[in-house]
Amino acid sequence: KSVIFDKTGTLTLSTPRLLNELDLHQLNDEAMLALFVMVDRHPHPLARSLREVLLAQRGKPPIPPAAEDVTEYIGRGLAWQDARKNRWTLGQANWEATPDAKNHHAHRAVLRKNGTFVAGFDFSEDVRDDALEATRQFKRMHLETVILSGDIDARVQRVASALNLP
């Protein structure tokens, strides 16, 4: 009597679209390498999105041996220490920010070097082309159609609204 959809990869494309690709062009080689090291092997959809754009823009950089030392902090982000002992993080807007850091809440993911803001990244979750028709078909069959997601409410609501779902 009910159809329950997961959001990411089912109703939306599996890889979010990076909205501010041009900001990657402004990264120096050191920041670009740190970002690539952190996203290269990580399965998170935002990491995959950043990796795809980096590869398209710059190709694969030579990866240092310490690249295996990327640490994931569940719900916060990724961290890596380069050969010069700089701590790079990619994650939530204010995670590991220096006390005097500006508010970067507008960005979904932020790259920092030793707590200092380097770049912010914004993404869009695009609804799959066939998702609206699929949800309409289930409604025509008088099946309750809902989204079940672990994502934050605002993102789920945007997709639900685009698909006319509760």
Side-chain angles (χ1 to χ4, degrees):
K1 297 189 181 205
S2 298
V3 178
I4 302 170
F5 283 101
D6 180 37
K7 181 181 64 68
T8 305
T10 305
L11 296 175
T12 64
L13 299 175
S14 60
T15 304
R17 181 171 39 93
L18 179 63
L19 295 174
N20 54 331
E21 279 188 39
L22 294 178
D23 290 355
L24 287 175
H25 286 293
Q26 298 175 8
L27 293 179
N28 64 29
D29 290 343
E30 178 188 39
M32 188 276 304
L33 176 63
L35 179 61
F36 191 86
V37 165
M38 287 186 284
V39 301
D40 186 37
R41 295 185 183 161
H42 201 275
H44 192 279
L46 298 183
R48 289 196 324 259
S49 178
L50 285 166
R51 183 181 187 276
E52 287 177 13
V53 175
L54 283 168
L55 286 172
Q57 283 187 4
R58 298 193 177 191
K60 188 169 184 170
I63 304 296
E68 301 295 324
D69 298 333
V70 174
T71 303
E72 179 178 7
Y73 295 86
I74 304 294
R76 292 192 180 138
L78 305 170
W80 177 66
Q81 184 170 298
D82 66 21
R84 294 185 178 135
K85 306 293 184 205
N86 292 305
R87 181 173 171 83
W88 293 89
T89 59
L90 175 66
Q92 289 183 345
N94 284 330
W95 177 54
E96 292 210 358
T98 57
D100 59 342
K102 283 193 334 184
N103 183 344
H104 293 286
H105 283 295
H107 299 294
R108 185 142 171 215
V110 170
L111 176 66
R112 294 186 185 282
K113 177 183 177 184
N114 300 321
T116 301
F117 179 85
V118 175
F121 304 107
D122 306 309
F123 300 87
S124 173
E125 290 181 292
D126 297 327
V127 173
R128 294 173 57 99
D129 291 340
D130 57 351
L132 183 57
E133 181 54 34
T135 57
R136 284 180 180 159
Q137 282 185 321
F138 288 122
K139 286 179 184 178
R140 284 192 294 267
M141 296 167 65
H142 304 287
L143 295 169
E144 178 186 27
T145 308
V146 297
I147 300 173
L148 179 65
S149 178
D151 207 342
I152 65 170
D153 288 342
R155 290 188 205 125
V156 177
Q157 289 300 325
R158 277 193 291 275
V159 173
S161 178
L163 298 173
N164 298 316
L165 295 176

